[in-house]
Amino acid sequence: MSSPEFHPYRWGTASLELPEAVRAALAAFGVREPENPPVAVEQAALPDPVLSEPAEAALAAIVGADRVQTGRAARVGHTRGWSTPDLLALRAGDAADAPDAVVSPGTHEQTVAVLETCAAHRIAVVPYSGGTSVVGGLVPARSGFAAVISLDTRALTGLQEFDEISRTARFGAGTRGPEAERSLGERGYTLGHFPQSYEGACLGGYAAARSAGQASAGYGRFDEMVVGLTLATPRGTVTLGTAPKAATGPDLRQLVLGSEGTLGVITSVTVRVRRAPAEQAYEGWRFGSFAEGATALRRLAQDGPLPAVLRLSDEAETAVNLADPAAGPGSGGCLAIIGYADGLESRSAIDEVLREAGGEPLGDGPGQAWEAGRYRAPYLRDALLDAGAFAETLETATFWSNLDTVKAAVTEAITAHLERALVLCHISHVYETGASLYFTVVCAQGTDPAGRWAEAKHAANAAIRTAGAAITHHHGVGTDHRDTYLDEIGPLAADALRGAKRALDPEGIMNPGVLLPADG
């Protein structure tokens, strides 16, 4: 699979046509095409860069003048992330959050030197790899800083070391998912990490945000795959991971994983790999209700056997899938997708559990439809925005016993704040003790869609917190979840995190305002 090039407010260059059934459904929800087309990138309102000449010269001396970009295209292309409010702002011609420069170091040593220079000049640094954050992870606080740069890691790319005996591989942090899979596939291996952002995100971003891929039931989350990493900080280098597991104090890899660029820049990751499967298969199952399907997933997660992919759509999401007749059942209920990567000998045992829980097999049609379309959502969102729809997602995780409560609370919070909103939900990742819930929200853009979504998202955050669930499972904290995250972990734990940041980033230049307020 090739890695697409990204327009600043469009996922790749391909345009996706909405099926007529989808257009009809959108019209029923009051969706109308916007009166004005998106503003061209060349016309976006962009503030003048404020990077001083001495600072620019110092950075150029480290990485080369051609790797310090202050032109419009580079700055706009590194503005914000890929949340719907991010995209709407750029479509409206607002690039006020653009960095003052884009700096692209080619080595770990250059990265450390760039951070040391930025600390000396009071320049805020936003680490950037794929740019796919959907939680405000690329929008730093600017107050108190002389300038802001985007530190692009994509020159830190490629397979650096492969240990077939230990089955580990070290990659540059700027390596995109498809590139990593190609390198491993040539050797007969796979990482097995396939998030929806797979085509655009990079391995360093996976680590920084604790990413979870669609095959997590079989391969695990990305933070479970990382056995070592290298971190560039304004004070020097941190190298972690001398063995798979150890009793040498707290595992500091876990401090860096999920740090979202606030402690430094991950420049390389060492990951465990597995043999590439000789064959893969995906199939659909129908359950009469979401509760019935959740019980089936829980039984597999707790007692096994586990397939590689295990997900369950609620009634509303299953009905929407009927825009593609091959994607789900025609008689209501909930659609489950089961994916196998080798280990097909366990298929009969899994089938037995699903049948005992009330499941009805639908064959491989729905599974194949899911496989074919699993990376389409980012492209589909572009088409929905073009049509005048507002489409956004949020996710959480909780224990099995709390799943129904959280699902109901979040759905109610969103529908109370967004008129005529369609709220879809699915279980996307499962564990012995609980699961994640992934919500998709679609409504008409109307007036001030970003403002109305901010109110609905705030209410959803509060509902998640009140219900005792995690504010995020795999999207990360960013700025959107920061306040709820701090409330979730409590003031003492927040102080411990501040202490780590002061030790590694005493000037507070690393992605200020993400995870923690910019003032510490």
Side-chain angles (χ1 to χ4, degrees):
M1 177 180 293
S2 61
S3 299
E5 294 301 320
F6 294 101
H7 187 284
Y9 53 70
R10 186 171 292 277
W11 188 266
T13 56
S15 59
L16 189 66
E17 289 295 325
L18 294 177
E20 285 303 317
V22 174
R23 290 187 177 277
L26 292 176
F29 276 85
V31 173
R32 302 291 182 269
E33 287 192 12
E35 295 182 2
N36 301 313
V39 173
V41 173
E42 295 76 16
Q43 298 175 350
L46 186 69
D48 293 332
V50 296
L51 184 66
S52 69
E53 290 185 6
E56 183 175 348
L59 293 170
I62 298 168
V63 301
D66 60 329
R67 290 180 177 268
V68 180
Q69 298 175 283
T70 57
R72 167 179 286 271
R75 294 177 62 209
V76 174
H78 289 72
T79 302
R80 304 187 183 95
W82 288 91
S83 72
T84 297
D86 289 340
L87 301 183
L88 287 174
L90 285 171
R91 282 169 170 256
D94 176 10
D97 290 323
D100 297 296
V102 178
V103 180
S104 304
T107 66
H108 169 80
E109 291 73 20
Q110 287 183 356
T111 306
V112 173
V114 166
L115 298 185
E116 291 173 344
T117 298
C118 288
H121 287 267
R122 288 293 298 161
I123 298 171
V125 178
V126 183
Y128 184 102
S129 54
T132 58
S133 171
V134 292
V135 292
L138 300 175
V139 186
R142 291 174 173 260
S143 178
F145 296 99
V148 174
I149 70 161
S150 175
L151 192 150
D152 194 316
T153 67
R154 286 177 294 181
L156 305 168
T157 189
L159 179 62
Q160 299 174 347
E161 181 180 304
F162 183 73
D163 180 349
E164 188 165 17
I165 296 175
S166 302
R167 293 194 178 179
T168 64
R170 187 177 74 232
F171 286 96
T175 308
R176 280 189 179 180
E179 181 186 351
E181 284 297 322
R182 281 193 295 270
S183 297
L184 293 172
E186 292 170 357
R187 295 162 173 81
Y189 289 86
T190 181
L191 181 58
H193 188 69
F194 305 107
Q196 200 166 67
S197 60
Y198 171 71
E199 293 181 332
C202 298
L203 270 62
Y206 292 161
R210 288 189 182 271
S211 175
Q214 295 163 358
S216 64
Y219 291 96
R221 295 165 50 100
F222 193 76
D223 52 350
E224 296 170 329
M225 301 176 183
V226 175
V227 297
L229 55 84
T230 305
L231 181 74
T233 82
R235 293 189 62 195
T237 298
V238 175
T239 303
L240 300 169
T242 55
K245 298 289 183 182
T248 48
D251 187 349
L252 294 179
R253 287 172 294 195
Q254 298 302 318
L255 177 65
V256 179
L257 295 170
S259 59
E260 300 186 27
T262 61
L263 303 180
V265 178
I266 298 170
T267 57
S268 69
V269 292
T270 302
V271 292
R272 59 116 168 102
V273 298
R274 293 181 178 169
R275 284 284 186 187
E279 56 180 324
Q280 299 180 79
Y282 302 93
E283 62 182 18
W285 285 73
R286 178 190 177 277
F287 289 90
S289 67
F290 189 73
E292 191 177 79
T295 297
L297 267 60
R298 177 174 59 82
R299 286 184 58 184
L300 289 173
Q302 291 177 340
D303 301 322
L306 262 177
V309 174
L310 192 57
R311 57 191 288 130
L312 173 73
S313 295
D314 70 358
E315 292 85 351
E317 187 169 282
T318 298
V320 168
N321 284 338
L322 294 179
D324 179 353
S331 57
C334 294
L335 173 67
I337 297 295
I338 315 298
Y340 302 89
D342 279 348
L344 299 185
E345 67 278 358
S346 66
R347 196 164 181 169
S348 61
I350 293 173
D351 286 359
E352 182 178 353
V353 173
L354 296 174
R355 289 180 189 276
E356 287 179 355
E360 172 192 346
L362 302 173
D364 60 5
Q368 290 176 349
W370 174 82
E371 181 188 18
R374 59 182 171 168
Y375 301 122
R376 293 176 67 228
Y379 301 95
L380 183 62
R381 183 171 60 170
D382 289 332
L384 288 169
L385 289 172
D386 290 342
F390 180 94
E392 189 55 293
T393 63
L394 61 91
E395 40 75 51
T396 181
T398 191
F399 296 105
W400 287 112
S401 58
N402 197 34
L403 206 69
D404 290 343
T405 299
V406 174
K407 183 177 184 294
V410 173
T411 302
E412 181 179 351
I414 294 171
T415 55
H417 285 79
L418 292 178
E419 184 180 357
R420 300 174 72 181
L422 177 64
V423 181
L424 317 176
C425 182
H426 66 259
I427 294 174
S428 56
H429 306 274
V430 299
Y431 309 96
E432 288 186 51
T433 55
S436 70
L437 290 171
Y438 192 98
F439 296 86
T440 301
V441 182
V442 181
C443 63
Q445 288 180 22
T447 303
D448 188 22
R452 289 187 296 114
W453 171 249
E455 293 179 358
K457 182 66 184 296
H458 179 77
N461 288 354
I464 289 170
R465 180 74 193 107
T466 299
I471 190 56
T472 177
H473 172 263
H474 58 269
H475 280 173
V477 174
T479 54
D480 293 0
H481 297 149
R482 183 188 64 209
D483 294 344
T484 310
Y485 164 68
L486 294 176
D487 182 54
E488 182 180 320
I489 66 174
L492 189 57
D495 281 346
L497 184 58
R498 290 185 180 95
K501 182 169 177 64
R502 283 192 295 269
L504 298 173
D505 176 26
E507 299 299 323
I509 65 167
M510 298 305 307
N511 220 5
V514 171
L515 284 186
L516 294 166
D519 59 2

